[in-house]
């Protein structure tokens, strides 16, 4: 079966990678070990064929595999929760670098979804106190599931909160004490065409936002300004059309400085960071 050809014909963006990941999943091996597997039994070939047919309908690869990566952590994902993307790992890496020398940092992940950024950070920094906020109850259930799994595997438990980032009092008890705020909010401008994997499977409220995609981001900027302690940092993922406006929003807050735009793996504007003045 020419899995790569089938997926390419279906319009899948990375047909070879997806075909190899599906094959590795069926065979129970790492993708890099596929060339070392000399023979594949007919049952495995048939199972792979079924999975390729599912992917050809543009069902997300992560739904088929049952998980998505964030750093060195695998998170269970499925219907009702946003699938983390590789570019979001750039926020995680930035935050880890920022707090490399800080002992027992307090970290907040706003709009946590599956718990991706919070659990990715907690895995790398077991000394951190990590809070994660999510409004949608289905997504929060996925986050609890993933948090329980990571805790069972030995990671420091995170603290999950059912809350709304647009609430001016969300996590008010942490005001002025947080070392790092991370956020991958809904930011795609309403009406923007998106791939079927997003349009048909990701919850719309986790993808799209009003006000040209900025309605939630405006509240995130406000929340970060009050949550951060002096010297703390914030990283907000945004649409590639927001490369100027989000840095401008952060720059309007007098308590924030060192506003810096960052590009994603394809060189497009993807997230912006800032520091709390000391």
């Amino acid at each position: 079966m020419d899995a790569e050809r089938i997926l390419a014909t279906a319009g899948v963006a990375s047909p070879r990678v997806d075909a190899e990941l599906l094959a590795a999943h069926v065979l129970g091996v790492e993708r890099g070990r596929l060339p070392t597997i000399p023979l594949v039994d007919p049952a495995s070939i048939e199972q792979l064929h079924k999975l390729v047919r599912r992917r050809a309908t543009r069902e997300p690869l992560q739904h088929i595999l049952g998980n998505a990566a964030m750093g060195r952590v695998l998170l269970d994902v499925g219907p009702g929760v946003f699938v983390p993307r590789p570019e979001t790992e750039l926020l995680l890496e930035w935050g880890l670098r920022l707090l490399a020398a800080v002992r027992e940092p307090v970290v907040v992940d706003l709009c946590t979804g599956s718990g991706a950024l919070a659990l990715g950070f907690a895995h790398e920094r077991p000394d951190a106190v990590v809070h994660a906020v999510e409004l949608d109850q289905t997504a929060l259930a996925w986050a609890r599931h993933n948090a329980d799994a990571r805790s069972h595997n030995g990671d420091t438990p995170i603290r999950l909160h059912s809350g709304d980032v647009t609430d001016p009092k969300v996590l008010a008890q942490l005001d002025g004490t947080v070392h790092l705020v991370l956020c991958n909010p809904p930011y795609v401008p309403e009406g923007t065409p998106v791939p079927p994997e997003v349009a048909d499977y990701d919850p719309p409220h986790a993808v799209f936002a009003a006000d040209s995609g900025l309605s939630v981001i405006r509240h995130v900027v406000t929340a970060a300004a009050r949550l951060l302690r002096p010297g703390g940092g914030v990283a907000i993922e945004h649409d590639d059309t927001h490369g100027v406006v989000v840095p401008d929003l952060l720059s309007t807050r007098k308590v924030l400085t060192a506003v810096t735009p960052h590009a994603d793996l394809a060189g497009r504007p993807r997230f912006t960071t800032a520091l709390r003045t000391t």
Side-chain angles (χ1 to χ4, degrees):
M1 180 186 63
D2 188 354
E4 181 181 354
R5 178 186 56 79
I6 292 172
L7 296 182
T9 301
V12 171
S14 52
R16 182 169 185 174
V17 171
D18 286 26
E20 291 178 351
L21 287 170
L22 290 171
H25 175 72
V26 168
L27 297 174
V29 300
E30 296 292 328
R31 178 185 166 202
R33 288 194 56 210
L34 286 176
T36 70
I37 309 297
L39 296 174
V40 179
D41 62 274
S44 295
I45 292 175
E46 177 57 27
Q47 184 182 0
L48 176 60
H49 185 54
K50 291 179 180 178
L51 297 188
V52 168
R53 288 201 300 267
R54 287 174 60 185
R55 184 68 185 101
T57 70
R58 306 300 291 275
E59 181 179 354
L61 175 70
Q62 296 86 351
H63 281 206
I64 298 171
L65 300 180
N67 57 59
M70 178 54 57
R72 295 194 293 173
V73 169
L74 276 181
L75 305 160
D76 288 349
V77 294
V81 70
F82 180 80
V83 173
R85 268 55 170 189
E87 53 264 31
T88 304
E89 293 185 1
L90 298 174
L91 277 76
L92 175 62
E93 293 167 1
W94 182 87
L96 289 168
R97 289 195 303 270
L98 180 70
L99 301 187
V102 178
R103 296 182 59 187
E104 300 181 353
V106 178
V107 178
V108 169
D109 175 15
L110 299 174
C111 307
T112 194
S114 63
L117 284 167
L119 294 170
F121 199 96
H123 178 74
E124 300 297 336
R125 290 294 303 271
D127 63 321
V129 178
V130 181
H131 297 263
V133 178
E134 177 55 50
L135 174 64
D136 182 79
Q137 294 304 301
T138 300
L140 191 63
W142 279 102
R144 287 197 184 99
H145 166 80
N146 285 318
D148 289 345
R150 294 312 312 166
S151 178
H152 180 75
N153 286 336
D155 286 357
T156 301
I158 66 171
R159 305 180 185 189
L160 279 170
H161 305 265
S162 175
D164 186 349
V165 70
T166 68
D167 179 356
K169 296 182 179 180
V170 67
L171 295 185
Q173 70 276 17
L174 298 179
D175 283 359
T177 69
V178 176
H179 294 87
L180 175 67
V181 173
L182 298 172
C183 186
N184 178 17
Y187 58 69
V188 177
E190 292 176 328
T192 300
V194 292
E197 291 88 344
V198 177
D200 298 337
Y201 293 92
D202 278 331
H205 56 265
V207 176
F208 300 100
D211 187 17
S212 300
L214 297 169
S215 60
V216 179
I217 288 178
R218 293 184 189 278
H219 291 283
V220 173
V221 171
T222 300
R226 67 173 170 80
L227 287 169
L228 289 174
R229 61 185 293 147
V234 55
I236 304 172
E237 186 169 327
H238 53 72
D239 194 65
D240 54 15
T241 63
H242 296 156
V244 173
V245 66
V246 171
D248 284 350
L249 286 174
L250 287 162
S251 297
T252 61
R253 310 297 300 202
K254 293 182 179 179
V255 298
L256 298 177
T257 188
V259 175
T260 306
H262 301 261
D264 62 16
L265 302 174
R268 298 167 296 195
R270 185 56 63 207
F271 73 104
T272 301
T273 60
L275 303 179
R276 178 71 155 80
T277 55
T278 56

